[in-house]
Amino acid sequence: MNFETFRSIGKAELHVHLEGSFRMERARELASAKPDHPWNGLAAEALRRRFKTSSFVEFLEQFMSGYRLLKTRDHFQMVTEDLCAEFERQGVQYAEVLYSPGVYVQKLHRELVDIHEGIGAALAQFPKLRVSFILDTVLNMGLPFMSRTLEMVLHDRPEYVRGFSVGGGQPDLDMAQFLPLFERAQEAGLFVVAHAGEVDGPENIRTLIEHTDIRRIAHGCSAARDPELCRELAGRQIAIDVSLSSNLCTGTVTNLKRHPIFKFLEYGIPVTLNTDDPFYFQTDLFNEYQLAEDIGISWDKLLEIMAFGLEFR
Ligand SMILES: [Zn+2]
């Protein structure tokens, strides 16, 4: 597959975090203005070396350093503009972008209105692109913190915020305790997605599909261990958002040739291909499709995946 052919085909990116999508030069520029930041003064190569993580915990550490780079309305505008420009470059016509304002507002004392205005100003520059933002709340912060974040966003909800998600987590986390959040988000008219089956087991995916109107599952890797669950996902046509590079970098999968995507396709579960945190995983959407092709997914299937993603517009 060559890039020109790839970009000429309309497609969607349905799982990318705003705070994981910096352009290298932008990250270095933002860090250079913060003398006490661990990335201050680092060359691109040195930063890339830092991101060669192999576990979820190591990745989160890097993610939190980057997260702290964004402070003002202009910062949020800049990184959103960078991401939208990247969507256009890749031939993305529809995107769902996760953002995590909870820690910014509740711990780092940033203003939610600045975050929302910055993002809104950026989106206004790209009228041809359709972008939905998804509020991603961090499971590890606990239910009361997540609930406050959700209420805060619902109170100041811009038109472009259309979805709710949960992310982070740990192996023994029980998703059931977070169901009231999904209920509240759905009542308020948000669609719901969730990170599940990345570090945790298939039972959390089951909880979500049984008790919420979940739109798609992000990662969902552990579902592959549970044939009954795979049949259910296929039966209900609930899609899994696959991110190949991400799964390798966080150690969720150790060999792409044995990635659960093969099981998903075998069972007839719809899948999408996504970057997740392209800055940290040093990837882009084209690279994710190339990786899929490299491990043996056919061009016809890839075209089907591109067309399928646009159905969420
Ligand atoms: Zn993610």
Side-chain angles (χ1 to χ4, degrees):
M1 169 185 358
N2 72 51
F3 183 69
E4 279 316 310
T5 311
F6 174 78
R7 73 167 302 187
S8 71
I9 304 167
K11 65 188 79 61
E13 157 80 280
L14 299 170
H15 180 183
V16 58
H17 295 259
L18 181 68
E19 304 90 354
S21 71
F22 302 118
R23 275 194 306 114
M24 175 57 80
E25 286 323 303
R26 184 70 74 197
R28 295 184 59 229
E29 173 196 318
L30 293 170
S32 74
K34 286 178 150 261
D36 56 344
H37 195 276
W39 299 352
N40 181 273
L42 289 185
E45 205 32 59
L47 261 185
R48 282 193 200 100
R49 269 200 304 277
R50 273 184 174 239
F51 301 158
K52 288 212 165 32
T53 56
S54 57
S55 75
F56 191 67
V57 173
E58 279 174 6
F59 156 69
L60 277 186
E61 227 171 86
Q62 294 306 320
F63 186 88
M64 282 317 293
S65 293
Y67 188 87
R68 288 172 180 273
L69 288 177
L70 301 182
K71 214 165 175 176
T72 66
R73 176 193 184 282
D74 286 355
H75 291 162
F76 285 93
Q77 181 172 348
M78 276 190 287
V79 294
T80 307
E81 281 177 9
D82 289 346
L83 181 56
C84 290
E86 175 65 5
F87 290 149
E88 289 200 332
R89 196 178 76 82
Q90 303 272 337
V92 168
Q93 294 174 350
Y94 175 59
E96 291 183 7
V97 179
L98 298 130
Y99 79 123
S100 310
V103 173
Y104 280 128
V105 176
Q106 295 190 55
K107 298 255 183 217
L108 302 175
H109 312 294
R110 318 276 204 259
E111 296 291 337
L112 184 62
V113 62
D114 286 344
I115 298 175
H116 282 166
E117 279 185 18
I119 294 171
L123 294 179
Q125 321 276 325
F126 295 85
K128 281 196 292 205
L129 201 61
R130 167 127 175 121
V131 184
S132 296
F133 268 68
I134 299 174
L135 165 64
D136 191 34
T137 54
V138 186
L139 291 162
N140 311 58
M141 303 303 290
L143 184 61
F145 186 95
M146 294 162 77
S147 176
R148 280 197 299 276
T149 306
L150 174 59
E151 292 307 324
M152 196 171 81
V153 168
L154 290 177
H155 188 258
D156 178 55
R157 180 185 159 190
E159 178 272 329
Y160 59 77
V161 176
R162 303 191 183 98
F164 171 80
S165 175
V166 298
Q170 55 216 25
D172 59 350
L173 178 125
D174 178 7
M175 194 63 86
Q177 61 187 300
F178 300 102
L179 289 174
L181 284 175
F182 287 90
E183 204 175 308
R184 172 73 178 118
Q186 286 176 183
E187 267 172 22
L190 298 175
F191 66 76
V192 300
V193 291
H195 292 75
E198 181 183 21
V199 286
D200 52 342
E203 53 291 341
N204 282 341
I205 301 173
R206 188 176 295 283
T207 300
L208 289 166
I209 66 171
E210 280 176 2
H211 299 282
T212 74
D213 298 325
I214 196 107
R215 187 180 223 192
R216 294 183 315 274
I217 301 282
H219 300 300
C221 294
S222 63
R225 306 201 297 255
D226 185 337
E228 187 52 40
L229 178 60
C230 284
R231 277 191 285 274
E232 256 180 78
L233 287 164
R236 300 187 194 203
Q237 287 292 289
I238 297 174
I240 295 190
D241 291 335
V242 172
S243 300
L244 298 172
S245 297
S246 164
N247 293 153
L248 266 188
C249 294
T250 58
T252 307
V253 164
T254 49
N255 181 345
L256 286 188
K257 296 221 158 99
R258 290 194 294 271
H259 191 282
I261 190 171
F262 296 107
K263 270 261 151 63
F264 301 155
L265 294 176
E266 214 179 286
Y267 278 96
I269 301 170
V271 302
T272 68
L273 288 173
N274 311 278
T275 59
D276 197 359
D277 296 288
F279 176 56
Y280 296 100
F281 306 138
Q282 297 172 58
T283 189
D284 61 24
L285 200 55
F286 178 52
N287 186 52
E288 294 303 301
Y289 275 81
Q290 277 185 312
L291 286 172
E293 193 177 41
D294 288 349
I295 56 175
I297 295 176
S298 71
W299 177 240
D300 280 352
K301 191 73 208 173
L302 295 178
L303 286 174
E304 203 183 287
I305 290 173
M306 289 192 228
F308 172 69
L310 287 174
E311 290 178 16
F312 293 96
R313 263 192 288 202

